[in-house]
Amino acid sequence: MGGEEDWITRRGKIVKYLAAKGCSALGNAVRLFTVDLDGCLMPGRDSELDFTSFTMVREYCRRAETLGFPRLVLCTGRPQPYVAAVLRILGAIWPRTPSVIESGAYLYYPYEGEVRVNPLLEGPALERWRELRRDLARQAPEMRARPGLGEKTGLSLFPTDDETVEQLHIRLSDQLIDEGLEFTRSNMCVDITPKGVNKQSGILMLAEATGISVQEMVGIGDSLNDIAMLTAVGIPTCPANAHPTVKETSVYVSPYEYTRGVRDILEHFVPQAGGLDAPGCDR
């Protein structure tokens, strides 16, 4: 009975939140899930992947069209090659359904094999940023940081073994004071992008590209760099491992961490998804 009461309480909170956002009903509100990778769909680097939950998410994506479920896209700081591989494994590839990559620098269309650049990076602005990015990447060893691999536009800097991501974020923000830069951090790295290029502007591009209102999107994030996404979507949520500020931003906090938390959020908003486990998987 307690669990039922908890569900009623949570549902009432969400319905009230949706009403404030202009959505009429919980069942009709969700048309798209936007999911962060590191710390959500994929665990932190010190944690093992929950293959059972990942398989459930894959089964959800594989059968979404047939069963009329909301599609799932990614909203991540990761570059296109990494995102392409994850989407292929998930089976989350549909026509004109892009994911937000490199923290809002691009929309990536896996079905069409295309990318669309953030308008804030078009023309001379992109060339100026690329020159600055090259300089920052070269200076990374001097700043005791390691640049990420495979990125086209954004720059991710990873801490060395003797420093945390939070410490690196504070230090870089102090060292690289520049009104033209935006610093955000995930649970793994510090992302540096031009001002205004973030997950929020990426979500707005996604809404325009798909014709789906941000009010009809469920966002799933865990880190401070996800707040830009979570404040843009209609229904912000997070797994149990999320940063305290992210939990305060979210209308639903899963009791489970990482991939299991993503699975729980899918089932929370699409209860029919609870029976989609692939054969041989334990719940």
Side-chain angles (χ1 to χ4, degrees), residues 45-64:
R45 56 184 172 182
D46 296 327
S47 303
E48 292 186 7
L49 176 64
D50 178 352
F51 283 101
T52 298
S53 294
F54 190 89
T55 299
M56 178 271 160
V57 176
R58 180 185 182 279
E59 189 69 7
Y60 174 96
C61 293
R62 190 179 71 84
R63 300 181 62 185

Side-chain angles (χ1 to χ4, degrees), residues 164-175 185 190:
T164 66
V165 173
E166 182 176 7
Q167 290 170 333
L168 177 63
H169 180 259
I170 294 172
R171 188 163 55 77
L172 290 178
S173 299
D174 291 338
Q175 290 179 0
R185 65 180 172 89
V190 176

Side-chain angles (χ1 to χ4, degrees), residues 111 157 223 259 274:
Y111 185 89
L157 294 178
S223 301
T259 318

